[in-house]
Amino acid sequence: MRMFMRVMFDVEASNRAIKDGTIAKIVEGFAKAVKPEGMWFVAQDGKRCMVAVFDLPSTNKIPPLAEPFFAGLGAHIEVTPAMDISDLQAGLAAL
């Protein structure tokens, strides 16, 4: 299932992670694990933020994906299913 994930990094924790190099390891580990369709980095609400779209084969994959962000970056994470236009069209056709 295609997922949309927003990860807001705690400023203090991400400052430390930038200095010691762990932020790159966490982000690269995530990218290697899910091979996202897209991954963007923005500032949102005054914090560093990563947004990713990727396929999630099973919800039991969420904890191993999220935990490094929680533990290493004090992150706030939102994960939600997402549709592209063909998914939307198929859903509407089924109504």
Side-chain angles (χ1 to χ4, degrees):
M1 176 182 304
R2 180 179 288 109
M3 303 299 285
F4 177 88
M5 183 172 173
R6 183 173 73 127
V7 183
M8 292 186 70
F9 308 146
D10 175 77
V11 174
E12 304 270 333
S14 59
N15 285 345
R16 287 190 299 275
I18 288 169
K19 288 180 184 174
D20 69 16
T22 58
I23 196 167
K25 291 176 186 168
I26 292 168
V27 170
E28 288 167 6
F30 172 81
K32 185 176 179 181
V34 300
K35 297 172 184 52
E37 290 179 33
M39 198 161 75
W40 302 269
F41 300 88
V42 300
Q44 192 169 34
D45 297 330
K47 296 181 179 183
R48 296 174 182 98
C49 183
M50 181 189 86
V51 178
V53 176
F54 59 96
D55 186 59
L56 185 68
S58 173
T59 55
N60 69 3
K61 303 293 184 194
I62 294 172
L65 294 177
E67 197 56 39
F69 291 110
F70 288 136
L73 300 170
H76 172 85
I77 299 173
E78 296 174 6
V79 181
T80 189
M83 295 182 285
D84 63 14
I85 190 67
S86 63
D87 295 331
L88 178 61
Q89 289 168 336
L92 292 174
L95 289 177

